[in-house]
Amino acid sequence: MNVNQVLESTLSPDASTRQNAEQQLSQAAEVDFSGYLTTLAQELANDHAQPHIRTAAGIALKNAFSARDYARLRELQRRWLQHVDSSAKSVVKDLALKTLASKDARAGQSAGQFVASIAAIEIPKNEWPQLMQILVANVGDGADHLKQASLATIGYICETEDNELRDSLVQHSNAILTAVVQGARKEETNLDVRLAAITALGDSLEFVRTNFDNEGERNYIMQVICEATQSGDGRIEAGAYGCLNRIMGLYYDKMKFYMEKALFGLTVMGMKNEEEDVAKLAVEFWCTVCEEEIAIEDDNAMARLKQKAREVIPVLLELLARQDEDAGDEDYNISRAAYQCLQLYAQTVGGDLIQNVLGFVEQNLRHADWHWRDAAVSAFGAIMEGPDEKTLDPLIKQALPVLISMMDDSVVQVKDSAAYALGRICENVSEAIDPVGHLPQLISALFAGLSSNPKMAASCCWALMNLADRFAGLPGCQENPLSIHFQDSVTHLLRVTERQATNLAEADNQLRMAAYEVLNSFVTNSANDSLHIVAKLSDIILHRLENTVPMQRQIVSVEDRITLEEIQTSLTSVLLSIIQRLEGEIKPQADRIMHVLLQILNTVGPKSSVPDTVFAAVGALSNALEVDFAKYMDSFAPFLYNALGNQDELGLCAMAIGLVSDITRSLGESSQPYCDTFMNYLLSNLRSTSVSNQFKPAILQCFGDIAQAIGPHFETYLNVVALVLQQAATVTMSDNGAYEMLDYIISLREGIMDAWSGIILALKQGKAHLLTQYVESIFKLLNIVAQDPNRSEALLRSAMGVIGDLADTFSRGEYADYYRAEWVTQLIKDTRSNRDFQGRTIDTARWAREQVKRQIVSAQGAQMSQG
């Protein structure tokens, strides 16, 4: 293999040439991984090679240790440990370290990334103890390009997400800090070196907690960072403010002194910096401060923030007017950073900033320059959460007519901000909106805005959805404030979406999808007096959904396919809401609904998101029709089986698992003909390594639903399922387990409890004796739950259900000895007396307590009769 030629081909614009070269590299790595790395490292270190060849070698080396999949990454790392001998490792590492000194900056960067890849493997195993000292020495004595590359390498190592490496880096904190602080000092004259040091410092802050606990070291680190905010180089200043933000998040409890002495003045000055990246990060400093204060609720610190508000808030208000009219919805600019900070400040100090903000609003609301009008409207919306509602109420009543009128502003950005501010009012202080005096004009203005410009669609729709949520009234109410507006609102939304629904090429996805979301919300929150309108709406939505099926023939591009899928998803979502709202009244449309949903499932392509929504609609229909849904099962079951077995699309597989629960609950014993296949797929998914652990609790719960549905017929599956439940009950938390594992174990136990509850109820009549061999293992798990302080309300509610169901099933006191255990009484008491729990949880605990009493009394009665 001509390595230069192959490396050059990996950079070819021709896909075929590039893929062929990558395949050759992959084959070379498989044949002789040690030689492969050595050859590439030599090419990377070769100062006489062409720069692009060195870059290609660096990319190939990095790829040799890179993988998105965690299991694949570990496999690649094992290859280094097991298939490269110590001498070859030394050669490769020496070549990589040598390349850090290259005057070719890209080669040095590639070498740094490669060194970091090896460090991730070896540092946790203490197999490269001299690495950090080498990098420190490079920063202390090396040429500028070596300093820069070495600092970048430290940054690459520290930005890891690998838990083993993160734990190991703590012991190297002194070496890391020595290098990065030395490079970040104001005495460093090379700005690129200083930038690399500041960047590495930001990445390393999490690992230097011991150093931050030392006041002298902490003072010096803070001094270096504060000086960097005044460097005159925008890149360094932005990096320094980024460091301050991370420090505030990690070490806030140690920052009071620095806030008073330096950080307050520096950050206010930083917010005024003409360099937007610098100003944004200075603003984010105050975002972090507010977030920390909200979390700890320190009255003294809150008082300091209120005091600082007099200087911080005016700067934020000025920054609101630095909008970028060309910014996209996802662009994060200084104006949006200031808005976010103002929101957080309002949540932190409440009404203390109202006067400052109101003065700015009144001054600029009618400004000739739209930037200031927009800033004024945005500022008012930003403070709608935090201040007391009673304080805001009169202000909102006074401002609403003005805000509504600004929906007619000549500039779309101002109109959009007005719509968003109205949405904030609807979300947070809806009581201030008079259903008679304000609501008609408000709805009219928002619908007019929705039709006027697609750029306003998101804000108008969000405001309308908030309105629908806030004025829905109690569930099942006969009428609500939306009732008199319901027909006009539906008509308007249908008109907005109608012109979008017939031609893929002209469809405006953003507006159409947003409008359908609003329609969803209005249907969901409709009162009973609007149900006849919802019923008529089902005809229109079904007609539109039916029209999408032949649109498959219009698809000529990926964009067309995406657009069609969005149309079908939006329409199916509305149909889902209609089914859920009409419940059993949807029955006259059921045949038509299932026909079109099956057509869509038949025609939709692989990897599509549409089936997820279709399955949700089918689930809602099965809940509405109950046993009458059985007529559709023969046609629908093949799609459900395919989804259950589709381990390439795990989201769809998860939907299918939930749908099995819905359908079996609805059909009851009529689901029995399908249960063999359901159970085979569910058990296969439990055993599969491709299916995430997070699916397992839902599968176990599904077993319980199937059991309840088919009753005594579940005997067929009892032994297999019981063994699965017993094995799942043995999963425990390791000493150093992550929070995700803790959540999983709690969910798993909840799934086990739900499964046993369903099985107990299924076998209660006539086949209870089949449970006797499992009672001991059930109580063993209940005892584990009782002893473990980590338990959710849902888990305890399920546990109460199992305790009560089992006692009720064996009502003659057969298992009274288990129920007399002190921990059972205490577990029930803990659940019953927890005031934070929902009423149904407490009721279940009370019921369980009564069943336990009956169990014990029955046992005593049996003993007395025998005596």
Side-chain angles (χ1 to χ4, degrees):
M1 179 179 76
N2 185 327
V3 68
N4 278 0
Q5 184 178 344
V6 174
L7 288 172
E8 186 152 16
S9 295
T10 63
L11 303 175
S12 171
D14 179 67
S16 177
T17 302
R18 193 168 60 249
Q19 289 170 4
N20 184 51
E22 290 168 353
Q23 189 173 8
Q24 288 185 64
L25 289 176
S26 179
Q27 289 172 348
E30 291 296 330
V31 172
D32 180 10
F33 188 55
S34 181
Y36 173 75
L37 294 179
T38 304
T39 301
L40 290 177
Q42 288 170 341
E43 206 57 43
L44 178 62
N46 184 1
D47 281 327
H48 301 293
Q50 296 181 50
H52 69 280
I53 297 295
R54 300 180 77 181
T55 298
I59 293 171
L61 284 167
K62 181 185 175 185
N63 289 342
F65 296 100
S66 301
R68 293 180 181 178
D69 179 68
Y70 180 79
R72 174 61 178 162
L73 176 63
R74 284 295 186 234
E75 181 184 329
L76 293 174
Q77 292 177 338
R78 278 195 298 273
R79 191 157 61 166
W80 168 265
L81 292 170
Q82 297 172 5
H83 300 293
V84 182
D85 61 43
S86 57
S87 61
K89 287 178 182 176
S90 296
V91 169
V92 169
K93 290 190 288 189
D94 288 345
L95 287 167
L97 290 171
K98 172 189 172 186
T99 310
L100 294 177
S102 173
K103 293 182 180 179
D104 181 341
R106 286 187 300 177
Q109 180 183 27
S110 296
Q113 292 172 333
F114 180 46
V115 168
S117 296
I118 299 174
I121 306 170
E122 297 205 341
I123 287 180
K125 302 181 184 309
N126 296 315
E127 291 187 6
W128 201 356
Q130 68 273 33
L131 172 62
M132 285 300 176
Q133 295 305 325
I134 292 171
L135 295 175
V136 171
N138 289 349
V139 175
D141 305 324
D144 286 347
H145 50 271
L146 177 57
K147 288 182 181 180
Q148 186 178 348
S150 299
L151 287 163
T153 302
I154 292 173
Y156 297 143
I157 294 170
C158 291
E159 68 184 8
T160 181
E161 294 182 3
D162 185 288
N163 287 331
E164 288 185 29
L165 178 56
R166 293 165 75 90
D167 292 341
S168 301
L169 286 175
V170 174
Q171 63 185 308
H172 297 281
S173 62
N174 288 332
I176 292 170
L177 268 181
T178 299
V180 296
V181 171
Q182 183 169 345
R185 295 178 307 161
K186 65 181 179 182
E187 289 78 11
E188 175 56 63
T189 56
N190 187 301
L191 296 180
D192 290 332
V193 170
R194 198 173 179 194
L195 174 62
I198 284 290
T199 303
L201 178 56
D203 290 328
S204 67
L205 285 167
E206 189 173 337
F207 312 113
V208 296
R209 183 171 296 277
T210 303
N211 306 83
F212 250 83
D213 287 339
N214 182 296
E215 184 179 357
E217 292 186 52
R218 183 172 69 243
N219 286 342
Y220 187 54
I221 295 168
M222 294 300 295
Q223 177 187 333
V224 168
I225 295 173
C226 289
E227 288 172 349
T229 66
Q230 308 301 302
S231 69
D233 184 297
R235 303 169 303 161
I236 295 171
E237 291 177 3
Y241 281 115
C243 285
L244 290 178
N245 292 345
R246 292 210 66 193
I247 288 169
M248 298 304 283
L250 291 167
Y251 308 110
Y252 190 71
D253 58 317
K254 296 180 172 61
M255 289 296 109
K256 177 183 174 183
F257 170 78
Y258 306 100
M259 287 281 289
E260 295 293 339
K261 295 297 182 182
L263 300 183
F264 169 68
L266 285 176
T267 51
V268 170
M269 187 163 55
M271 290 194 293
K272 299 176 182 178
N273 197 301
E274 290 300 315
E275 290 273 354
E276 181 160 311
D277 286 343
V278 176
K280 276 194 301 187
L281 286 159
V283 169
E284 286 176 21
F285 172 89
W286 286 100
C287 291
T288 306
V289 169
C290 291
E291 288 167 346
E292 291 296 323
E293 289 300 335
I294 291 170
I296 63 178
E297 298 180 344
D298 181 346
D299 290 339
N300 292 329
M302 210 77 77
R304 292 195 297 273
L305 271 184
K306 291 176 182 179
Q307 183 183 1
K308 302 303 183 188
R310 289 194 294 269
E311 296 180 58
V312 175
I313 298 303
V315 180
L316 293 174
L317 294 170
E318 296 279 330
L319 292 175
L320 286 175
R322 283 173 57 179
Q323 307 93 330
D324 177 2
E325 48 262 54
D326 298 322
D329 290 340
E330 303 302 319
D331 292 342
Y332 186 65
N333 53 38
I334 185 61
S335 177
R336 289 175 180 172
Y339 182 86
Q340 179 188 13
C341 190
L342 188 59
Q343 275 186 304
L344 287 167
Y345 224 114
Q347 292 170 35
T348 308
V349 304
D352 288 78
L353 49 57
I354 286 180
Q355 289 307 314
N356 267 341
V357 173
L358 282 185
F360 178 83
V361 171
E362 290 169 359
Q363 181 180 349
N364 294 291
L365 206 54
R366 303 296 186 188
H367 203 289
D369 185 338
W370 73 265
H371 294 84
W372 293 97
R373 293 200 306 278
D374 182 73
V377 173
S378 297
F380 190 79
I383 63 170
M384 289 299 104
E385 183 182 1
D388 186 76
E389 289 187 24
K390 291 180 181 178
T391 304
L392 291 173
D393 187 276
L395 303 176
I396 292 169
K397 283 182 164 60
Q398 183 181 353
L400 268 173
V402 180
L403 289 173
I404 292 171
S405 71
M406 295 191 78
M407 291 287 292
D408 291 324
D409 196 276
S410 58
V411 178
V412 67
Q413 283 89 348
V414 178
K415 295 164 70 172
D416 185 39
S417 294
Y420 195 79
L422 291 168
R424 291 272 295 168
I425 292 170
C426 297
E427 181 185 38
N428 297 296
V429 208
S430 58
E431 294 298 319
I433 301 173
D434 183 354
V436 177
H438 298 137
L439 195 56
Q441 294 85 355
L442 182 54
I443 288 181
S444 177
L446 290 171
F447 275 121
L450 179 60
S451 302
S452 68
N453 194 305
K455 288 185 177 180
M456 296 176 60
S459 296
C460 290
C461 289
W462 182 66
L464 285 164
M465 286 189 288
N466 283 334
L467 264 183
D469 290 341
R470 297 305 178 187
F471 288 100
L474 295 174
C477 61
Q478 182 57 31
E479 62 179 347
N480 62 30
L482 294 174
S483 294
I484 59 174
H485 308 287
F486 192 80
Q487 180 65 72
D488 288 344
S489 298
V490 169
T491 301
H492 196 114
L493 289 164
L494 289 173
R495 191 182 307 125
V496 168
T497 53
E498 184 176 29
R499 64 175 182 264
Q500 309 294 330
T502 57
N503 188 307
L504 290 179
E506 296 176 1
D508 185 327
N509 295 356
Q510 184 182 19
L511 177 56
R512 182 188 58 253
M513 291 176 67
Y516 276 130
E517 284 186 40
V518 178
L519 189 54
N520 259 341
S521 188
F522 270 72
V523 168
T524 300
N525 293 296
S526 58
N528 290 342
D529 63 356
S530 300
L531 290 184
H532 66 287
I533 303 172
V534 176
K536 290 179 182 177
L537 177 63
S538 66
D539 268 325
I540 300 169
I541 297 301
L542 277 168
H543 178 69
R544 291 187 181 183
L545 195 54
E546 289 160 347
N547 285 343
T548 66
V549 177
M551 290 171 74
Q552 288 280 357
R553 294 191 293 271
Q554 294 183 27
I555 293 175
V556 294
S557 66
V558 174
E559 289 75 16
D560 285 350
R561 182 171 298 282
I562 292 171
T563 299
L564 177 58
E565 290 185 357
E566 287 174 344
I567 293 173
Q568 291 180 327
T569 299
S570 294
L571 287 166
T572 307
S573 295
V574 177
L575 183 60
L576 167 62
S577 296
I578 291 172
I579 295 169
Q580 290 173 328
R581 188 65 189 90
L582 292 179
E583 297 178 319
E585 298 301 315
I586 197 65
K587 188 173 182 179
Q589 295 278 31
D591 286 356
R592 189 178 172 192
I593 290 170
M594 282 304 296
H595 181 71
V596 70
L597 294 181
L598 289 170
Q599 280 187 305
I600 291 172
L601 290 175
N602 257 320
T603 56
V604 76
K607 305 292 185 181
S608 168
S609 60
V610 178
D612 290 27
T613 316
V614 171
F615 275 25
V618 171
L621 190 63
S622 73
N623 290 335
L625 299 181
E626 295 181 331
V627 72
D628 289 336
F629 185 79
K631 62 192 274 192
Y632 306 114
M633 276 302 293
D634 285 345
S635 300
F636 177 66
F639 297 104
L640 183 53
Y641 296 154
N642 286 339
L644 284 170
N646 189 345
Q647 295 182 6
D648 293 328
E649 297 180 58
L650 293 179
L652 182 62
C653 184
M655 284 291 299
I657 294 167
L659 188 50
V660 170
S661 287
D662 289 340
I663 288 175
T664 52
R665 281 197 300 263
S666 298
L667 297 185
E669 286 196 5
S670 299
S671 64
Q672 189 184 347
Y674 310 97
C675 285
D676 277 356
T677 312
F678 287 159
M679 291 297 296
N680 284 335
Y681 277 114
L682 293 171
L683 289 167
S684 174
N685 285 336
L686 274 180
R687 290 189 292 266
S688 172
T689 56
S690 302
V691 176
S692 167
N693 277 347
Q694 304 307 317
F695 286 20
K696 292 180 181 178
I699 293 173
L700 301 184
Q701 289 170 339
C702 195
F703 290 154
D705 290 325
I706 292 173
Q708 276 192 265
I710 64 176
H713 300 292
F714 194 77
E715 178 184 357
T716 306
Y717 317 112
L718 178 61
N719 289 339
V720 174
V721 171
L723 180 61
V724 167
L725 297 179
Q726 289 172 327
Q727 290 172 341
T730 63
V731 177
T732 56
M733 185 80 171
S734 60
D735 292 338
N736 58 348
Y739 286 116
E740 292 80 6
M741 186 62 178
L742 177 61
D743 289 341
Y744 166 65
I745 289 174
I746 293 172
S747 298
L748 188 68
R749 289 173 181 171
E750 183 185 339
I752 298 168
M753 292 296 180
D754 287 342
W756 276 124
S757 184
I759 292 168
I760 293 166
L761 292 173
L763 302 178
K764 180 178 179 181
Q765 301 299 329
K767 295 195 175 181
H769 63 280
L770 298 173
L771 295 168
T772 55
Q773 60 183 310
Y774 306 115
V775 171
E776 183 178 353
S777 63
I778 293 172
F779 271 93
K780 185 176 181 181
L781 177 59
L782 286 168
N783 188 25
I784 291 172
V785 172
Q787 305 305 322
D788 193 336
N790 300 304
R791 53 201 192 194
S792 65
E793 178 183 356
L795 172 57
L796 288 174
R797 184 168 59 244
S798 297
M800 295 300 104
V802 169
I803 289 171
D805 289 335
L806 204 56
D808 189 39
T809 299
F810 297 97
S811 56
R812 296 179 180 177
E814 294 94 322
Y815 295 106
D817 287 344
Y818 286 110
Y819 285 103
R820 288 192 181 100
E822 178 62 29
W823 63 263
V824 174
T825 304
Q826 190 62 44
L827 182 62
I828 296 173
K829 182 180 179 181
D830 289 346
T831 308
R832 183 172 52 87
S833 60
N834 193 319
R835 296 183 179 180
D836 293 330
F837 286 175
Q838 298 175 18
R840 65 189 183 116
T841 304
I842 294 170
D843 289 343
T844 305
R846 287 172 176 161
W847 172 79
R849 182 181 63 171
E850 293 305 313
Q851 298 307 311
V852 170
K853 286 181 180 177
R854 287 177 56 191
Q855 175 81 188
I856 295 173
V857 169
S858 296
Q860 291 171 343
Q863 289 174 352
M864 290 175 64
S865 63
Q866 290 173 4

